[in-house]
Amino acid sequence: MQTPTRPPARMSVVGQEYWLMASSLLFLGATAGKVAAQPLPADAPVPAEAERVPTDEAEAPPVPVSPPPPTAPPAPTPPPAAPPPTAPPPTTPPTTVPPPPPAAHEVPLPEGTAPDSPAGAEAVSADLPAPELGDAGSFQIKGRVFVLAELDHRREEVVGDSGNIESREITSLDLSLASARAGLEYQSPLPWLSAELELEVAGDPEVKDAYLQAGKRLFARAGQFKMPSARLELESSWKLPLVRRGFVHDLLVDWLDVAGRHPGLMLGYRGKGGVKPRFTLGAFQGTVLQEVAPGDRDVALIEKTSLEAQSIAARAELEIFDVEVAGWYEHRVGSPDLGETQHYESFGLDAKYDQTFESGGLRIWLDGTAGESFYVHEDKPGQDEEAVFVATRALVGYRFGGTALGTPYLEPFGYFAALDPDTEVVSDFALEAALGLNVGFWDRARLTLQGELNAAQRNFPSGYLDQQEPDRRGLLLQAGARF
């Protein structure tokens, strides 16, 4: 079949339209036959069957289409011109959708239990966390226990069978609960406010420390606590290697009214870096003598009797080459007789060295104290004048081990102290010495064996200890633990 040629010019307009339609049909039929005759590639995807939409009407049968008659291949046509380059569409950064927040508290329900059923609601409410009550601060409980076995040999003045005063030697063995302390430290939500409470519950319960403190570097403390004084007095009994503070300590605190715990108000400063300066200054309620007996002196707080019922105390510290050195002063209230009070001066210097090495540690305390005393020897001329006392103490301990908390250690130690009750009287010294050994777990538990000796020279004033003989020897075994 020949392809129609261009119509002659004399053909009418209608004829020309029919001629164009016939030419187009012939061209399309030839092209479709040629494409259908070509085989598909092996890897070409097989087109999926189009989804059929169900209808209520019956589908008409397909109409067969006759293949077009073969035609001659059309003349080649030039390729279409490439479209002008266009700018790529603007890209939008992907939007990240955050995952939904997790449930505050998901509670697994028993199998087969609906969440909205009574059993499900009960299971959910039983496992929900307790409501927060707000930040009330932090509490820390602390304490320590000392138990003591004491073998003691001393000389005492007793009334004999004849009714006369006789000197008799006594040897005794006693088992006791030497100390049982319980304490509570409180840190307020306000970082500058804290409080502390410490009770002695061995025997009659007694408040040892109870105070509020405001501030850190610059601070104010109000309540009952230790006055600024010598380091050996300020140190906790647990920190000292000794079983007890000793004879000279009793003479200073219990008989001369130096240092000790009193209600008061104190201001202080703690420096950082360099020599780490520290300074404290406070006013503390004084005490008055209530009763005295051999070896015992009872005092009570002064109440509503004077505008001068307070002691003034101050202490300054520096740290030089790992040694803490300090000086202190006390304008103290003393009670020379029942119901009487007067102010006396006392002061002192002290040093402390406490270092831990690779295999152990060394601890040293040294101090010297001087001041006015109301105890004068009965044979001294001019008894109306106040005496001046001087005391010195030294405590040294070296431990093997104990380089970390709770590690085993062994620590031998030695202690010596002397008190001159009156610098103008000779042969009146009170002397004290102790040797001992600590074995245990550092700063957690320990067993202490200590031998001690107390003695006084012939001119030692009898007002101390109320005529009790100061000479004694003792062997002590103490077990202690802290938490």
Side-chain angles (χ1 to χ4, degrees):
M1 183 177 182
Q2 295 181 353
T3 303
T5 58
R6 185 173 181 178
R10 64 179 180 269
M11 187 177 294
S12 65
V13 175
V14 176
Q16 293 179 4
E17 290 179 354
Y18 278 105
W19 185 87
L20 288 175
M21 292 175 61
S23 300
S24 300
L25 289 174
L26 290 175
F27 175 76
L28 290 175
T31 304
K34 185 177 181 181
V35 171
Q38 294 180 356
L40 291 175
D43 56 349
V46 178
E49 182 180 359
E51 184 177 359
R52 300 174 64 184
V53 181
T55 60
D56 294 337
E57 300 178 358
E59 295 182 0
V63 178
V65 179
S66 300
T71 58
T77 58
T86 58
T91 59
T92 303
T95 302
T96 303
V97 180
H105 190 79
E106 297 183 357
V107 181
L109 298 178
E111 185 176 356
T113 303
D116 54 351
S117 65
E122 183 178 350
V124 171
S125 61
D127 200 32
L128 285 176
E132 296 184 1
L133 301 179
D135 188 1
S138 60
F139 297 85
Q140 180 178 357
I141 298 175
K142 63 178 183 177
R144 71 163 190 260
V145 176
F146 284 130
V147 293
L148 176 65
E150 179 178 3
L151 179 64
D152 187 73
H153 180 81
R154 62 193 183 278
R155 182 180 294 276
E156 287 187 354
E157 301 291 335
V158 298
V159 178
D161 296 336
S162 61
N164 298 324
I165 302 296
E166 299 177 359
S167 179
R168 181 180 300 174
E169 292 187 354
I170 299 176
T171 302
S172 62
L173 175 63
D174 296 292
L175 305 177
S176 65
L177 177 62
S179 177
R181 296 281 178 91
L184 178 67
E185 294 180 355
Y186 169 68
Q187 176 59 57
S188 165
L190 303 173
W192 49 267
L193 181 62
S194 61
E196 182 169 341
L197 173 65
E198 184 172 337
L199 303 175
E200 176 61 63
V201 295
D204 295 332
E206 178 185 4
V207 176
K208 288 297 185 178
D209 292 323
Y211 61 83
L212 296 172
Q213 180 166 308
K216 296 294 185 179
R217 183 174 298 184
L218 287 170
F219 65 90
R221 180 182 296 179
Q224 177 169 298
F225 48 93
K226 291 182 177 180
M227 301 169 57
S229 57
R231 172 52 64 186
L232 272 172
E233 302 298 335
L234 297 175
E235 207 77 84
S236 167
S237 297
W238 178 262
K239 295 295 184 181
L240 298 175
L242 292 166
V243 168
R244 51 194 175 198
R245 298 181 192 271
F247 178 44
V248 170
H249 160 83
D250 294 341
L251 296 176
L252 291 172
V253 177
D254 297 338
W255 293 88
L256 283 168
D257 298 322
V258 175
R261 286 180 167 91
H262 296 266
L265 172 65
M266 184 175 72
L267 304 177
Y269 168 77
R270 297 189 185 98
K272 291 184 178 180
V275 296
K276 299 179 180 178
R278 294 180 291 275
F279 179 76
T280 52
L281 170 67
F284 301 85
Q285 191 73 7
T287 57
V288 61
L289 181 62
Q290 296 290 305
E291 183 181 359
V292 63
D296 190 21
R297 181 174 182 267
D298 291 333
V299 297
L301 290 174
I302 302 171
E303 292 184 355
K304 301 178 182 179
T305 58
S306 173
L307 293 176
E308 298 181 352
Q310 288 76 38
S311 299
I312 306 299
R315 176 179 171 88
E317 303 175 9
L318 298 174
E319 188 171 311
I320 304 174
F321 299 112
D322 297 326
V323 178
E324 176 193 290
V325 295
W328 60 273
Y329 168 80
E330 182 183 355
H331 183 63
R332 76 186 195 278
V333 175
S335 185
D337 206 346
L338 295 175
E340 296 183 7
T341 60
Q342 188 175 337
H343 279 85
Y344 300 88
E345 313 299 325
S346 55
F347 58 92
L349 299 172
D350 60 72
K352 174 187 174 182
Y353 179 80
D354 187 351
Q355 289 295 313
T356 300
F357 310 121
E358 184 176 352
S359 60
L362 175 63
R363 301 189 289 170
I364 301 174
W365 291 266
L366 302 172
D367 73 27
T369 302
E372 297 174 330
S373 169
F374 40 83
Y375 296 105
V376 181
H377 195 278
E378 57 271 17
D379 295 333
K380 177 185 176 182
Q383 292 189 17
D384 294 338
E385 298 180 2
E386 296 170 350
V388 175
F389 73 90
V390 176
T392 184
R393 295 177 289 185
L395 173 60
V396 180
Y398 184 87
R399 71 179 179 275
F400 301 90
T403 57
L405 181 67
T407 56
Y409 80 103
L410 183 149
E411 181 183 38
F413 63 87
Y415 173 69
F416 175 80
L419 171 70
D420 182 0
D422 192 335
T423 56
E424 297 180 350
V425 177
V426 298
S427 301
D428 62 344
F429 274 72
L431 303 172
E432 177 184 15
L435 291 174
L437 179 68
N438 284 309
V439 180
F441 299 91
W442 180 244
D443 205 23
R444 279 291 176 254
R446 75 189 190 203
L447 183 67
T448 306
L449 179 64
Q450 175 177 313
E452 59 185 24
L453 172 66
N454 302 339
Q457 295 178 316
R458 57 183 177 86
N459 288 331
F460 186 73
S462 59
Y464 287 99
L465 307 179
D466 192 37
Q467 309 294 330
Q468 185 184 65
E469 182 68 36
D471 295 354
R472 59 173 299 277
R473 298 187 298 274
L475 182 64
L476 313 175
L477 181 63
Q478 179 176 266
R482 70 180 292 266
F483 57 89

